[in-house]
Amino acid sequence: MTVARSMLLFALAALFEIGGAWLVWQGWRENRGLWWIAAGVIALGAYGFVATFQPDANFGRILAAYGGVFVAGSLAWGVLVDKFRPDRYDIIGAAICLIGVVVIMYAPRAQG
């Protein structure tokens, strides 16, 4: 159950961070206005809290592993929201990052 909870938290963090950054991007670069930017800033702030609910207590480990989720999630966001078409190198890179997430977060470790 701990791995499932951790993965759900990573997905939620990605939704807040990537969605928040996208809202800021839309507000500024696409001239959608300050309300879009404000919503993005709120979402980015929410992202900052999500990591604190991860079961592992090591900030560096959580953030390092989340980096891989961010990479893959950003590409997925691009596909779903912006109709971006990743090439094989995007997909290979994202897969490598997700393997890194699994190794960093879920490899068995000696207690001590």
Side-chain angles (χ1 to χ4, degrees), residues 13-23 44 66 69-74 77:
L15 180 66
F16 282 135
E17 184 180 21
I18 298 163
W22 183 84
L23 287 166
L44 287 165
Y66 172 69
V69 174
F70 177 80
V71 168
S74 295
W77 183 281

Side-chain angles (χ1 to χ4, degrees), residues 4-54:
R5 177 175 180 242
S6 174
M7 290 170 47
L8 181 63
L9 287 168
F10 277 140
L12 186 60
L15 180 66
F16 282 135
E17 184 180 21
I18 298 163
W22 183 84
L23 287 166
V24 171
W25 177 284
Q26 292 295 309
W28 187 256
R29 288 201 48 165
E30 304 299 327
N31 299 311
R32 295 203 171 169
L34 290 177
W35 288 111
W36 284 69
I37 294 169
V41 168
I42 291 168
L44 287 165
Y47 147 74
F49 284 99
V50 172
T52 66
F53 295 106
Q54 281 286 354

Side-chain angles (χ1 to χ4, degrees), residues 1-11 53-56 69 101-109:
M1 188 58 147
T2 301
V3 171
R5 177 175 180 242
S6 174
M7 290 170 47
L8 181 63
L9 287 168
F10 277 140
F53 295 106
Q54 281 286 354
D56 192 299
V69 174
V101 172
V102 172
V103 171
I104 291 168
M105 282 299 295
Y106 310 120
R109 290 188 163 80

